[in-house]
Amino acid sequence: MTALGRAPERILLGPGPSMLPPSVRLSLATPLVGHMDPTLFPILEDISARLRETFQTSNELTLAVSGTGTAGMEACVGHVLTSGDRIVVAAAGYFAQRIAALARRAGADVTVIDAPWGQAVDPRDVARELDRAPARAVAAVHVETSTGVVQPLADVARIAHDHDAVMLVDAVASLGGVDLPVDRWGIDVCYAGTQKCLSAPPGMAPVTIGRSARGRSREGGSFYLDLELLWRYWASPHTYHHTIPVPLVYALHEALRLVGEEGLSVRFERHRRNAEALWAGLEAMGLVLLVSSDLRAPSVTTVTVPDGIDEAKIRGRLLAEHDIEIAGGLGPLKGHIWRIGLMGYSSQPRYVRLLLAALEAILSDEGFRSPRGAAVDAAEPLLAGPTTEARDPMRP
């Protein structure tokens, strides 16, 4: 309870944040200790170990930056690039363009390879650009939150390495929900956010740095986001750097414990099956999905708004009448799509059913006709699978 009253219990089905598991919510009430308290250091070390498992990497420098995914982005861009370095950004949406913008702020020479929003960048275009001129780094977004596209990364990383470039990847909307084998794919630098598929509160950004990209600490860059300095705090002897958000550390630790308890393969399958059920329900309703089936992300689904329908009004009614949050589009897709997130704890059959039923009813009320009950009926066979429910430690 706050001075303004109790916050509503929303069903968060947008592109982030996701809902918090009960045990993660409880972890936020853990008694606060100081950022140099010796009881905190084993937790930091365990978080690093669990993040390595989640990133599927053996990288020593693996930690969580204090700040949201954009802080992770800025830390990694600043770690990889110095003024005058060249970076090639494979851009197929809003957040790849943000990587390019941050690289320009770092003084880098930025080349952007654009793909239409809703499609992926062709790795051959990356190869042609690197053949034309060398680069220090190649950057791509694994799951582009603005479009719901999964960018195939293995070929892009191979091409980058063939041209002696570092591979930098945004995994904000995929880590913990979409398979991301960092070491096997040859990703050198990767960052994510805690508030999406990991289902922890926003405010920390997991980062992992490969050996080939280490040693870029420098006095001319950011102090707060200097990953080499941060690592000296996260690892023994835990040299003071800044006051980290300890309650968020507790929450991330519990969220990662739940990831490990469920298992990555089971977790990926749960996200995939619930997403496929959502897609089947939306299409049965007569709605058109933006992204082709081979490139659709299990964590973020983008739906084209039908002609004559006010997309913001539909979102407003979902929130006001059903406490369900989804999001609208960004950039050129603003006003043209809805973005639906099934991430982490939010990826559950009960929420798919609730959303499909509520969306069908509201759209019908607004003049969009579809067979009554068709959406849930189409989703149900997929929702009946054995791995679709999120594990809830508070349930009997």
Side-chain angles (χ1 to χ4, degrees):
M1 181 72 73
T2 70
L4 296 177
R6 183 178 295 276
E9 288 278 353
R10 302 293 198 198
I11 299 170
L12 300 177
L13 302 180
S18 62
M19 299 173 71
L20 300 182
S23 63
V24 173
R25 291 175 65 167
L26 285 175
S27 71
L28 291 166
T30 303
L32 184 67
V33 299
H35 52 284
M36 296 302 290
D37 191 296
T39 64
L40 183 64
F41 298 144
I43 296 174
L44 298 180
E45 292 167 6
D46 195 49
I47 287 173
S48 290
R50 291 178 183 275
L51 283 175
R52 288 187 194 98
E53 293 173 1
T54 309
F55 276 116
Q56 301 176 62
T57 185
S58 61
N59 292 340
E60 179 190 39
L61 199 168
T62 303
L63 52 80
V65 173
S66 300
T68 58
T70 300
M73 179 190 292
E74 191 152 4
C76 288
V77 168
H79 183 85
V80 169
L81 300 175
T82 57
S83 182
D85 284 341
R86 182 169 184 258
I87 182 172
V88 174
V89 180
Y94 183 91
F95 290 97
Q97 294 289 351
R98 180 172 290 185
I99 295 175
L102 291 182
R104 292 187 189 99
R105 284 173 175 256
D109 175 11
V110 180
T111 298
V112 176
I113 300 173
D114 280 314
W117 286 36
Q119 299 180 28
V121 174
D122 189 333
R124 292 172 296 184
D125 292 338
V126 177
R128 280 190 284 269
E129 185 55 43
L130 292 175
D131 286 341
R132 186 185 69 80
R136 161 66 182 164
V138 174
V141 176
H142 184 209
V143 170
E144 178 53 71
T145 320
S146 61
T147 65
V149 167
V150 175
Q151 172 69 50
L153 291 176
D155 286 345
V156 178
R158 177 184 53 78
I159 289 165
H161 293 157
D162 287 347
H163 291 79
D164 296 321
V166 170
M167 186 69 207
L168 186 156
V169 169
D170 177 313
V172 170
S174 62
L175 183 68
V178 184
D179 194 16
L180 180 72
V182 163
D183 284 357
R184 180 156 55 86
W185 283 354
I187 298 168
D188 302 292
V189 177
C190 192
Y191 62 89
T194 51
Q195 77 276 20
K196 302 209 177 194
C197 295
L198 295 179
S199 281
M204 300 200 81
V207 165
T208 188
I209 307 294
R211 197 176 310 170
S212 62
R214 291 290 303 273
R216 300 284 286 189
S217 180
R218 59 190 185 279
E219 292 185 2
S222 170
F223 174 85
Y224 187 75
L225 298 176
D226 188 315
L227 294 174
E228 294 291 345
L229 292 181
L230 285 171
W231 181 239
R232 294 176 200 170
Y233 169 73
W234 275 75
S236 181
H238 303 290
T239 304
Y240 167 72
H241 182 264
H242 72 278
T243 304
I244 65 171
V246 173
L248 298 185
V249 169
Y250 292 149
L252 176 57
H253 189 237
E254 175 59 17
L256 290 169
R257 187 190 69 79
L258 295 178
V259 171
E261 181 181 81
E262 185 175 14
L264 284 178
S265 62
V266 174
R267 196 173 180 92
F268 298 151
E269 175 64 11
R270 170 167 63 85
H271 280 77
R272 168 59 60 177
R273 292 191 64 149
N274 286 330
E276 288 177 347
L278 174 66
W279 302 338
L282 292 168
E283 290 178 332
M285 203 185 302
L287 296 173
V288 176
L289 304 186
L290 177 70
V291 180
S292 62
S293 59
D294 59 318
L295 292 176
R296 275 180 212 155
S299 50
V300 183
T301 294
T302 46
V303 188
T304 303
V305 177
D307 291 341
I309 296 296
D310 183 336
E311 74 86 11
K313 184 177 182 182
I314 302 301
R315 286 190 289 113
R317 288 191 60 182
L318 280 171
L319 193 66
E321 299 169 22
H322 300 275
D323 282 317
I324 297 173
E325 178 187 279
I326 65 172
L330 297 172
L333 296 178
K334 183 176 176 61
H336 299 289
I337 64 167
W338 293 301
R339 292 183 296 150
I340 300 170
L342 295 179
M343 299 178 173
Y345 193 70
S346 294
S347 181
Q348 297 193 46
R350 52 179 164 165
Y351 299 137
V352 175
R353 294 185 186 103
L354 283 171
L355 174 62
L356 289 173
L359 187 58
E360 181 185 272
I362 292 172
L363 283 172
S364 177
D365 193 42
E366 294 293 328
F368 180 80
R369 296 289 179 250
S370 62
R372 188 173 180 84
V376 174
D377 287 346
E380 201 59 46
L382 289 161
L383 296 177
T387 61
T388 48
E389 284 288 356
R391 304 223 18 201
D392 185 346
M394 297 299 289
R395 278 188 195 157

